[in-house]
């Protein structure tokens, strides 16, 4: 009869000891809710959605355009010298609708795919600065 009480008492002691510790540790926060929400519509040569989502961790890429604060539209066309003209439009939505920017850049014919996707990343980073300048 003595063994079951000891087991129950031990389990009760472990449970009570664990409860205050669990109450002191706050639940993990969802940090993506604080990041600027962007919808990426990238049809340009050099677009790599997975690369951009991995590299630009300070942006929250959403799949529904209506949830975004900024719509990023990237297009490209060939130049006469064999290179590529990249045009990226930043279109504010909702509270940001007064902000609209466009950045145009060029890549050489000899640029690798990685160099082009790095260019796209740099343009998106620079273009988003205006939209996030006064945000936490």
């Amino acid at each position: 009869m003595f063994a079951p009480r000891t087991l129950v008492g031990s389990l009760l002691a472990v449970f009570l000891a664990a409860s205050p510790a669990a109450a002191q540790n706050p639940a993990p926060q969802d940090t993506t809710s604080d990041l600027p929400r962007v919808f990426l519509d990238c049809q340009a040569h050099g677009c790599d959605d997975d690369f951009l989502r991995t590299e630009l961790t300070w942006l929250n890429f959403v799949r529904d355009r209506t949830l975004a604060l900024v719509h990023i539209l990237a297009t490209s066309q060939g130049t006469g010298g064999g290179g590529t003209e990249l045009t990226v439009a930043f279109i504010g939505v909702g509270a940001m609708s007064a902000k609209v920017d466009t950045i145009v850049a060029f890549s050489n014919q000899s640029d690798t795919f990685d160099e082009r996707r790095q260019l796209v990343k740099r343009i998106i980073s620079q273009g988003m600065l205006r939209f996030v300048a006064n945000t936490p």
Side-chain angles (χ1 to χ4, degrees):
M1 284 283 196
F2 187 68
R5 272 191 192 162
T6 305
L7 180 62
V8 171
S10 297
L11 290 175
L12 184 60
V14 169
F15 177 76
L16 291 175
S19 294
Q24 292 174 357
N25 294 333
Q29 297 282 333
D30 179 20
T31 57
T32 59
S33 63
D34 296 336
L35 302 175
R37 294 183 316 271
V38 298
F39 177 77
L40 180 63
D41 186 1
C42 197
Q43 304 300 318
H45 185 65
C47 280
D48 183 351
D49 290 349
D50 294 331
F51 171 77
L52 294 172
R53 292 174 196 274
T54 303
E55 293 291 314
L56 300 173
T57 57
W58 55 279
L59 296 175
N60 182 9
F61 291 93
V62 295
R63 298 194 186 278
D64 184 359
R65 185 176 50 87
T66 61
L67 298 176
L69 293 175
V70 181
H71 182 156
I72 300 173
L73 176 61
T75 59
S76 64
Q77 63 182 4
T79 62
T84 304
E85 175 186 315
L86 175 67
T87 304
V88 182
F90 300 86
I91 306 161
V93 180
M96 301 263 189
S97 62
K99 296 181 182 180
V100 176
D101 279 330
T102 301
I103 297 176
V104 178
F106 297 90
S107 68
N108 295 321
Q109 180 181 11
S110 61
D111 286 351
T112 64
F113 182 74
D114 185 55
E115 289 171 325
R116 287 188 178 112
R117 72 182 187 170
Q118 291 290 343
L119 176 64
V120 172
K121 176 185 140 186
R122 186 171 55 248
I123 290 172
I124 290 175
S125 295
Q126 290 171 352
M128 283 301 298
L129 288 178
R130 180 171 177 218
F131 292 91
V132 299
N134 296 320
T135 62

